[in-house]
Amino acid sequence: MSPRSRTLIVTGAGGVGKTTVSAALGVHAARNGTRTLVLTIDPARRLADALGIAKLGNDPAPVKTQPGLWAAMLDVTASWEAILDRHTEPEIATRLRSNAFFRAIADRFPAAQAYAAGEQLADYLEAGAWELIIVDTPPAGGGIDFFAAPNRMSELVGGRVLRFLTGAGLPGRRALYRFTARPVLKVADAVLGGPLLEDLAEFLLDLRTLYDGLTMRAATIERYLSAARVIVATTAQPSAMREAARFYDELPGIVVKPAGVVFNRVLPAEWIGLKPGMPSNGFTPEQAAELRDNLRNWAAEAHRQADARAELASQYTTATATIPWRHHAPTTLDALADLITSSDGLAVLTGLD
């Protein structure tokens, strides 16, 4: 990894604004002279919309209206094809690409997608083209998967069950399979009406060949993750708060400890003491009563949010930052940059002050 490269990972529940926060941090860093890449693993493509880019993929695209800023979105299929080329012989890589079992794992299982993201992050870090890489993780469990994936993939390709099914010595085992098991499986598949068992056996044997290279790479990815700065994005809504607490409970046992929490969509502190008086003329008594009730509710919600932030910070002894609530989500680079400058403590929390 280039000694100039840093990693900032934004994780948390879905719907709390992680993608917007990641894009805003990228704009802020680039405008302060840091060559920055923002990588999203979120398949919703919201990052491209926020940055005004028509299409994102594994190849980082420059944000034309913001010098020093690039963006990319994980292409799982392309990433796994690169993983196969790196860790297996060409013949085996070709077989795995066309194997239905491998395609199902690579394309549909969150752990496999998260591992591909880790390999992609490692490639970007080692390229040394950026001083800062900001990662926008998938929501909820997918975010946990991103950190756990390197170890889980190592366990998959080197696990006890796979070793039992494929045997210890792969070269000898493959020869034995070709001359003894494969003819039997062909007969069984003919009865079943499709190449199910033969494809499964080929898949298991080929998967084992990934073990050495993938295990070494997984250890490298874990080292990069442990050196990253991780922040948990949330709102003060109960469901989002539960997810934020889960990240604090589970991440330290995997590879990292979050640096702090950023609370998004925070109501103004001055609303807490809001005391509605008599509305001005022009309202009916019913409208005036409804307006007073509405103001009381907003004051109560602002107070609840402040209590929730204090409780989480105290429970996990963690730093916090806040981003104020606004009428509309930012859709321009200036609005994204303002998200950081109007925040309280976010630049410090992320190390971008």
Side-chain angles (χ1 to χ4, degrees):
M1 179 175 67
S2 167
R4 296 177 57 199
S5 299
R6 294 180 291 148
T7 306
L8 172 62
I9 301 175
V10 182
T11 192
V16 300
K18 289 193 316 301
T19 303
T20 300
V21 170
S22 298
L25 289 168
V27 173
H28 176 82
R31 289 189 173 185
N32 281 276
T34 302
R35 290 174 59 86
T36 302
L37 168 65
V38 181
L39 167 65
T40 184
I41 312 171
D42 186 345
R45 300 186 181 274
R46 289 190 296 271
L47 181 61
D49 294 338
L51 296 176
I53 298 176
K55 185 177 180 180
L56 285 179
N58 273 352
D59 295 329
V63 179
K64 295 180 180 179
T65 54
Q66 178 54 62
L69 182 62
W70 286 257
M73 188 182 78
L74 178 70
D75 182 331
V76 176
T77 300
S79 295
W80 267 105
E81 288 184 354
I83 291 169
L84 293 180
D85 290 336
R86 175 183 291 125
H87 299 312
T88 65
E89 297 295 328
E91 178 185 354
I92 296 175
T94 299
R95 280 202 303 268
L96 282 171
R97 285 192 185 96
S98 60
N99 187 285
F101 295 104
F102 181 82
R103 288 261 58 93
I105 289 178
D107 295 341
R108 300 176 190 172
F109 281 77
Q113 295 174 0
Y115 177 79
E119 285 244 12
Q120 201 65 58
L121 170 61
D123 287 346
Y124 294 146
L125 284 168
E126 291 164 357
W130 301 277
E131 298 168 275
L132 174 67
I133 298 177
I134 300 173
V135 181
D136 165 36
T137 68
I144 297 289
D145 285 340
F146 176 71
F147 298 97
N151 183 59
R152 288 177 179 172
M153 289 304 298
S154 295
E155 290 179 348
L156 171 64
V157 298
R160 183 179 304 173
V161 173
L162 190 57
R163 292 199 307 271
F164 172 78
L165 292 172
T166 58
L170 281 176
R173 187 71 172 183
R174 184 172 293 282
L176 181 65
Y177 159 74
R178 286 174 177 168
F179 289 105
T180 59
R182 190 173 188 178
V184 175
L185 295 179
K186 281 182 175 292
V187 173
D189 280 341
V191 175
L192 294 173
L196 173 66
L197 298 179
E198 185 180 358
D199 283 355
L200 177 58
E202 285 277 10
F203 164 66
L204 294 175
L205 287 166
D206 287 341
L207 191 64
R208 272 292 304 278
T209 65
L210 286 169
Y211 177 70
D212 289 340
L214 190 144
T215 300
M216 292 179 62
R217 191 61 169 168
T220 299
I221 295 169
E222 286 193 329
R223 189 164 65 250
Y224 292 155
L225 294 179
S226 67
R229 183 185 290 258
V230 179
I231 63 168
V232 180
T234 187
T235 65
Q237 295 306 309
S239 59
M241 292 282 288
R242 285 194 295 271
E243 287 298 317
R246 191 166 75 86
F247 278 90
Y248 267 81
D249 290 335
E250 296 185 22
L251 284 184
I254 299 173
V255 68
V256 298
K257 180 179 180 181
V261 181
V262 54
F263 288 88
N264 195 17
R265 304 169 192 151
V266 173
L267 295 178
E270 55 267 25
W271 286 17
I272 294 176
L274 200 62
K275 296 185 182 300
M278 181 64 67
S280 59
N281 294 334
F283 293 97
T284 66
E286 292 79 9
Q287 290 172 331
E290 184 177 350
L291 179 58
R292 287 194 296 269
D293 287 343
N294 191 36
L295 292 174
R296 289 191 190 97
N297 290 336
W298 278 114
E301 174 61 15
H303 191 279
R304 186 197 68 79
Q305 287 189 7
D307 286 347
R309 295 195 302 273
E311 181 180 354
L312 187 71
S314 174
Q315 180 179 356
Y316 294 101
T317 318
T318 187
T320 62
T322 59
I323 298 175
W325 174 84
R326 55 191 61 210
H327 294 282
H328 303 288
T331 56
T332 66
L333 293 180
D334 287 341
L336 285 169
D338 182 65
L339 204 68
I340 307 303
T341 56
S342 65
S343 70
D344 182 10
L346 184 53
V348 175
L349 183 65
T350 55
L352 301 181
D353 55 327

